[in-house]
């Protein structure tokens, strides 16, 4: 079993329906005008937070998510039906990244509980829109706008005020079960907790409460990916305060001071900012300390309290010192009003998919000019250049978009070659 807090999936919006080409065919109306209807809009691909979800496990079973395409337009000016949106439910705290670059598309946390990630394509216009006084029977319609598609990486980072960190079997699960409404399964073997457990700690009235996360046990080398290290460490980045739980009794034969140093080294190696996070050391299992010649609590205090890190002896099993620890955590939270980390958007979907890119117009050589880009290619897709009227429509488009003006500024003259979308034309006024 592995901890399901990352998943790679492909998402796709719906394609816009194509515009329709048709003409009125009625008795006593021999030359009916164009009546091709518009295509329907493609469905949007939407991410929405489901606070009942705690892992990304279901995304390991299904890898492709696509909204519905818009319907093609019909005869008699009938509009095609819009495609249905697809709402993809994700846990609170899910970060959506572009798979190749790792750049953040969105962070589904804070106030961001629902977001349209990919927009469905617009429906194409039917041929009824292209009739003019000189072109009364247009034999072309606009195709629907293409769908948007991306491969994304989903990464879940738990949202909690306080994170419990430490080696396996130091008593984190016991502490959170004694402190809150969380009821984790507890057993004495490494990696008992394969996903963080969240618990609400309530001290007095509702204002004196906070969310605590039992971050699964770390091991030496976690920052390098040993065990499930990276999966666990990424959750700590969201926490405002860390409680480092250590087995003060050394019940597994390890030295508590060595344990603390090793876990801190892993935190620093993974994310240097974590070392500046407010921390309390919870020296646990004091009920199991039997060596009267070794005052381990004093040794830990001597090492860490001069650094401003409070050391508090507790027994999570018996409850001794737990209440005092929780009030100390609450005090630390109130003193450090840091907002939970919400990741900024880094990836511009529209720019990446060419929706906002300008036309690329340039002079290739002495008498050859080039016009290229998604916008011009889409226009060529719904224009029949073999038809005289279709070619006139193309010429008018070039003028309306001020492409001809731009080419003239570059020196375009009669007889010069203009290459548009792989097609070459000689330019004449």
């Amino acid at each position: 079993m592995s901890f399901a807090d990352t998943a790679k999936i492909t998402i796709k919006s719906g394609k816009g329906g194509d515009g329709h080409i048709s003409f009125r065919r009625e008795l006593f109306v021999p030359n009916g005008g164009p009546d091709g209807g518009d295509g329907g809009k493609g469905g949007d691909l939407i991410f929405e937070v489901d606070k009942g979800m705690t892992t990304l496990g279901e995304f390991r079973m299904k890898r492709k998510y696509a909204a519905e395409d818009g319907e093609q337009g019909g005869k008699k000016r009938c509009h095609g039906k819009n495609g249905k949106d697809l709402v993809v439910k994700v846990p609170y705290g899910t970060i959506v990244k572009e798979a190749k670059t790792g750049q953040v598309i969105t962070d589904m946390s804070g106030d961001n509980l629902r977001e349209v990630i990919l927009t469905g394509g617009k429906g194409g216009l039917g041929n009824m829109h292209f009739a003019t006084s000189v072109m009364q029977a247009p034999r072309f319609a606009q195709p629907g706008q293409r769908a948007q598609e991306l491969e994304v990486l989903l990464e879940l980072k738990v949202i909690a005020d306080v994170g419990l960190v430490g080696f396996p079997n130091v008593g984190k699960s016991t502490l959170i079960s004694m402190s809150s409404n969380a009821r984790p399964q507890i057993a004495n073997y490494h990696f008992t907790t394969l996903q963080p457990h969240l618990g609400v700690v309530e001290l007095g009235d509702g204002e004196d409460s906070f969310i605590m996360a039992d971050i699964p046990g770390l091991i030496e080398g976690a920052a390098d990916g040993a065990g499930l290290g990276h999966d666990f460490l990424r959750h700590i980045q969201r926490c405002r305060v860390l409680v480092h739980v250590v087995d003060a009794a050394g019940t597994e034969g390890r030295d508590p001071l060595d344990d603390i140093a090793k876990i801190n080294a892993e935190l620093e190696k993974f994310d240097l900012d974590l070392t500046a996070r407010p921390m309390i050391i919870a020296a646990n299992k004091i009920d199991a300390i039997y060596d009267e010649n070794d005052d381990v609590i004093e040794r830990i205090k001597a090492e860490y309290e001069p650094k401003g890190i409070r050391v508090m002896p507790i027994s999570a099993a018996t409850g001794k010192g737990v209440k005092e620890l929780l009030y100390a955590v609450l005090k630390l939270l109130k003193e450090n009003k840091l907002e939970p980390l919400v990741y900024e958007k880094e990836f511009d979907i529209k720019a990446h998919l060419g929706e906002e890119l300008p036309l690329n117009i340039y002079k290739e050589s002495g008498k050859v000019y080039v016009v290229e880009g998604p916008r011009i290619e889409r226009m060529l897709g719904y224009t029949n250049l073999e038809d005289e009227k279709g070619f006139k429509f193309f010429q008018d488009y070039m003028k309306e978009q001020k492409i001809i003006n731009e080419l003239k500024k570059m020196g375009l003259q009669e007889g010069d070659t203009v290459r548009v979308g792989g097609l070459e034309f000689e330019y004449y006024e």
Side-chain angles (χ1 to χ4, degrees):
M1 181 178 178
S2 61
F3 176 54
D5 78 336
T6 60
K8 189 181 286 186
I9 63 172
T10 300
I11 56 175
K12 186 178 181 181
S13 64
K15 176 190 176 297
D18 294 339
H20 191 69
I21 302 172
S22 60
F23 299 89
R24 286 172 58 199
R25 290 287 181 265
E26 296 177 25
L27 199 60
F28 310 120
V29 185
N31 297 310
D35 68 352
D38 301 343
K41 177 186 174 297
D44 296 337
L45 193 293
I46 301 167
F47 276 20
E48 184 175 271
V49 167
D50 180 347
K51 292 193 175 180
M53 292 176 68
T54 56
T55 76
L56 298 170
E58 69 179 60
F59 295 101
R60 300 201 169 182
M61 307 299 292
K62 183 180 176 183
R63 301 292 182 126
K64 293 186 177 181
Y65 295 81
E68 194 174 72
D69 292 342
E71 280 189 355
Q72 182 180 352
K75 297 177 181 179
K76 299 182 179 178
R77 299 177 176 254
C78 286
H79 195 292
K81 202 165 71 172
N82 292 341
K84 290 181 183 176
D85 297 337
L86 179 64
V87 179
V88 179
K89 300 291 184 75
V90 295
Y92 187 59
T94 299
I95 298 171
V96 184
K97 296 181 176 180
E98 198 276 326
K100 289 181 182 175
T101 63
Q103 292 180 320
V104 175
I105 295 171
T106 191
D107 184 350
M108 302 301 293
S109 61
D111 296 327
N112 187 32
L113 304 181
R114 181 182 170 96
E115 183 172 345
V116 176
I117 305 297
L118 298 178
T119 305
K122 292 179 183 176
L125 299 175
N127 70 332
M128 64 179 181
H129 291 277
F130 300 105
T132 66
S133 58
V134 294
M135 192 195 309
Q136 296 179 3
R139 296 189 176 277
F140 52 85
Q142 190 179 35
Q145 202 174 41
R146 63 189 176 186
Q148 297 180 342
E149 184 172 358
L150 271 182
E151 187 178 39
V152 297
L153 179 68
L154 305 182
E155 195 174 272
L156 176 59
K157 298 192 181 189
V158 164
I159 308 287
D161 300 302
V162 180
L164 304 180
V165 300
F167 272 91
N169 302 330
V170 295
K172 298 190 304 299
S173 295
T174 306
L175 176 57
I176 198 169
S177 67
M178 292 287 288
S179 308
S180 71
N181 56 2
R183 292 291 177 264
Q185 293 180 338
I186 300 167
N188 188 33
Y189 52 88
H190 286 193
F191 295 108
T192 299
T193 312
L194 284 174
Q195 65 187 57
H197 288 107
L198 295 180
V200 178
V201 179
E202 294 180 345
L203 299 171
D205 59 34
E207 291 186 9
D208 287 343
S209 65
F210 54 85
I211 298 173
M212 181 184 284
D214 165 18
I215 307 297
L218 299 175
I219 58 173
E220 193 175 3
D224 296 319
L228 299 175
H230 279 170
D231 292 341
F232 297 156
L233 279 163
R234 65 169 53 94
H235 292 292
I236 301 168
Q237 291 176 302
R238 297 274 202 185
C239 301
R240 292 161 54 201
V241 168
L242 301 181
V243 175
H244 192 147
V245 185
V246 63
D247 177 3
T251 57
E252 295 197 353
R254 298 192 307 268
D255 179 66
L257 277 165
D258 189 46
D259 274 10
I260 297 169
K262 283 177 176 174
I263 293 296
N264 284 345
E266 294 302 323
L267 297 178
E268 181 177 354
K269 196 171 184 181
F270 183 73
D271 184 347
L272 190 60
D273 289 343
L274 290 174
T275 59
R277 208 67 53 90
M279 180 185 286
I280 292 176
I281 294 174
N284 192 26
K285 303 190 181 182
I286 57 172
D287 56 305
I289 297 176
Y290 303 113
D291 188 349
E292 296 179 359
N293 298 318
D294 180 14
D295 193 342
V296 64
I297 303 299
E298 288 306 313
R299 282 200 296 127
I300 299 172
K301 284 184 176 181
E303 177 72 24
Y304 287 97
E305 291 200 336
K307 300 174 183 177
I309 300 173
R310 188 173 178 184
V311 178
M312 302 191 70
I314 67 164
S315 170
T318 67
K320 186 176 181 181
V322 171
K323 193 171 185 180
E324 291 81 359
L325 170 66
L326 297 178
Y327 275 104
V329 169
L330 180 64
K331 183 172 182 289
L332 206 53
L333 284 169
K334 288 181 175 180
E335 290 171 354
N336 294 272
K337 295 289 186 181
L338 297 173
E339 291 297 318
L341 178 64
V342 177
Y343 291 83
E344 296 288 330
K345 295 178 187 288
E346 300 171 328
F347 188 80
D348 187 337
I349 290 176
K350 286 187 176 180
H352 175 76
L353 296 174
E355 297 302 320
E356 292 187 346
L357 292 178
L359 284 171
N360 191 15
I361 304 172
Y362 59 93
K363 186 174 184 177
E364 187 177 79
S365 62
K367 293 191 174 185
V368 179
Y369 297 80
V370 178
V371 181
E372 59 188 12
R375 193 160 24 124
I376 197 77
E377 288 168 11
R378 280 200 294 270
M379 187 278 300
L380 288 172
Y382 60 76
T383 306
N384 179 13
L385 297 179
E386 302 296 321
D387 180 87
E388 183 181 343
K389 293 175 180 177
F391 191 77
K392 183 181 185 308
F393 174 80
F394 163 69
Q395 289 178 310
D396 291 343
Y397 178 89
M398 295 282 282
K399 290 175 183 175
E400 287 167 9
Q401 297 293 314
K402 303 194 185 308
I403 296 170
I404 298 297
N405 287 350
E406 195 66 31
L407 290 169
K408 283 183 174 180
K409 287 179 187 176
M410 295 179 181
L412 178 69
Q413 296 180 357
E414 285 201 7
D416 289 350
T417 298
V418 179
R419 187 183 305 134
V420 183
L423 302 172
E424 290 191 351
F425 309 92
E426 282 191 21
Y427 173 70
Y428 290 101
E429 292 284 353

